[in-house]
Amino acid sequence: VRQRDLRPEHIYDFLDSEIQSDSEECSAEEPVLSVDSILPDDLLERILAFLPIASVFRAGTVCKRWRSITLSEKFLWQCSKMPAQKPWYFMFMNSEDPSGFTFDPVLKKWYNFSLPFIATSSWAIASSFGLVCFMDNSNRNRIYVCNPITKDRRKLPEPLESRVADYSALAITVNKHTNTYTVVVVRSKQVPDDILHWNLSVDVYDSSSSAWDGSVSQVLKGWRGGEESVICNGVLYCLIYSTAMVGNSENRHGLLIYDISNTLLQVLPISMPCSLTCGRLMNLKERLVMVGGIGRVDRPDIIKGIGIWELDKVEWREISRMPHRFFQGFGEFDDVFSSSGT
């Protein structure tokens, strides 16, 4: 490798030339130095930590020393302290084959991807800072947390009170300062022979204690839980659905709020911004954002567009609506859709 100025703006070029050095020929007149002779481990770790994730794996194939560095606990800790890179988009097949796909927004490439495990073809999924939480839809007490990159995984113990549910929602949040995470499961089940009343329970798992910290339950009148939830600033938000089916069509959806630290559960009378066919909640820099299908005035169950709103205290503030020409690009589709954001 030719000797270069190692200023930060040259780090990428320097490492790229090192990775591809086997295809380069150095001039005999120029001094040739091995990177091993000029960089101690701690400095090399800091440089490699600046690389995109895919390039870190490439760097691990350069030599034994670089491979041992990229696989070390110290290097992983160094990477966790770096400024966050653009998150990868991750999706997997609805099958018993543990395969999926990821998109790297830094290098703009798609990759085939193998899950650390697979036990069923149907999972509920939630993610936070690179950790992915899986819940078996057929057995909602079987929950895993895994790092898809390192393939590490952990099976969580079953909640203190295992319940059969008609609907379940899953959420996870990672505390990067303490390297701990919290998993929340919201279960909803209809009271027998009573369509208006639904039993709703919230179970919280804390990785710092490796245990479920109790359970909170409440009977909702005129509302039921669903499968959409997210955690923002230590507060769980869960989309709930009207079972009364009367009155204003804009009240078909509601918002359930659970303060995790204070174990306070409440249903907020927050009016939806318009008649929604469905809603998708997401945490964007600890702000609650909803992407929703806009229903027609005369047929609120028929979607006519897609909008984005942010919760500002107790009101939804519209951020944008998808231009109609883009919406038409989807062609004919159902009143529901999936959506994710960062």
Side-chain angles (χ1 to χ4, degrees), residues 4-275:
R4 299 189 182 194
D5 180 3
L6 291 182
R7 289 176 295 175
E9 59 266 29
H10 293 168
I11 286 177
Y12 289 122
D13 293 337
F14 172 78
L15 289 173
D16 190 54
S17 65
E18 171 66 9
I19 292 172
Q20 301 177 8
S21 60
D22 57 344
S23 62
E24 295 182 357
E25 292 183 3
C26 297
S27 172
E29 290 80 16
E30 293 178 325
V32 179
L33 291 177
S34 168
V35 68
D36 294 313
S37 66
I38 59 175
L39 292 180
D41 282 357
D42 57 345
L43 182 55
L44 185 56
E45 287 173 357
R46 294 186 61 186
I47 294 175
L48 293 177
F50 277 97
L51 288 175
I53 295 176
S55 298
V56 171
F57 283 95
R58 291 177 57 205
T61 65
V62 170
C63 60
K64 291 182 178 179
R65 181 191 178 206
W66 284 32
R67 177 172 175 78
S68 64
I69 286 177
T70 57
L71 295 179
S72 67
E73 291 289 335
K74 184 180 177 183
F75 176 72
L76 294 178
W77 181 262
Q78 183 79 41
C79 288
S80 70
K81 300 302 179 184
M82 300 301 296
Q85 299 181 14
K86 290 183 178 180
W88 286 25
Y89 182 76
F90 163 69
M91 59 184 180
F92 72 101
M93 304 295 289
N94 240 4
S95 69
E96 295 183 359
D97 180 25
S99 62
F101 305 94
T102 58
F103 178 74
D104 180 355
V106 177
L107 300 180
K108 293 183 171 60
K109 288 184 178 180
W110 282 96
Y111 299 94
N112 292 327
F113 195 81
S114 296
L115 294 171
F117 66 97
I118 195 73
T120 180
S121 60
S122 179
W123 294 94
I125 288 184
S127 64
S128 176
F129 287 104
L131 287 187
V132 181
C133 187
F134 294 85
M135 181 173 67
D136 185 353
N137 278 333
S138 59
N139 177 4
R140 294 183 172 98
N141 294 316
R142 184 163 58 172
I143 303 171
Y144 294 86
V145 174
C146 79
N147 183 329
I149 298 296
T150 64
K151 308 295 187 181
D152 292 332
R153 60 167 173 156
R154 174 183 297 178
K155 185 177 186 296
L156 303 187
E158 291 193 3
L160 299 178
E161 298 183 27
S162 299
R163 299 180 178 87
V164 178
D166 296 316
Y167 299 93
S168 295
L170 176 69
I172 182 174
T173 182
V174 172
N175 187 326
K176 294 197 68 176
H177 300 292
T178 61
N179 280 337
T180 59
Y181 59 87
T182 300
V183 175
V184 180
V185 179
V186 182
R187 293 180 173 86
S188 182
K189 184 172 178 58
Q190 181 183 343
V191 173
D193 302 322
D194 186 350
I195 193 174
L196 289 180
H197 291 81
W198 288 70
N199 290 313
L200 185 136
S201 64
V202 180
D203 295 287
V204 179
Y205 177 86
D206 186 354
S207 69
S208 62
S209 61
S210 298
W212 295 90
D213 294 339
S215 176
V216 177
S217 60
Q218 182 175 323
V219 176
L220 302 183
K221 181 179 180 180
W223 298 97
R224 67 162 178 83
E227 300 175 346
E228 192 69 27
S229 65
V230 71
I231 300 173
C232 299
N233 277 326
V235 176
L236 172 77
Y237 296 91
C238 185
L239 209 59
I240 55 178
Y241 305 83
S242 173
T243 58
M245 301 303 292
V246 295
N248 193 335
S249 61
E250 294 186 6
N251 293 329
R252 298 173 64 197
H253 296 79
L255 200 61
L256 181 140
I257 295 182
Y258 177 70
D259 190 324
I260 298 175
S261 59
N262 296 326
T263 64
L264 177 62
L265 182 66
Q266 56 181 327
V267 177
L268 287 188
I270 297 178
S271 298
M272 286 294 144
C274 61
S275 177

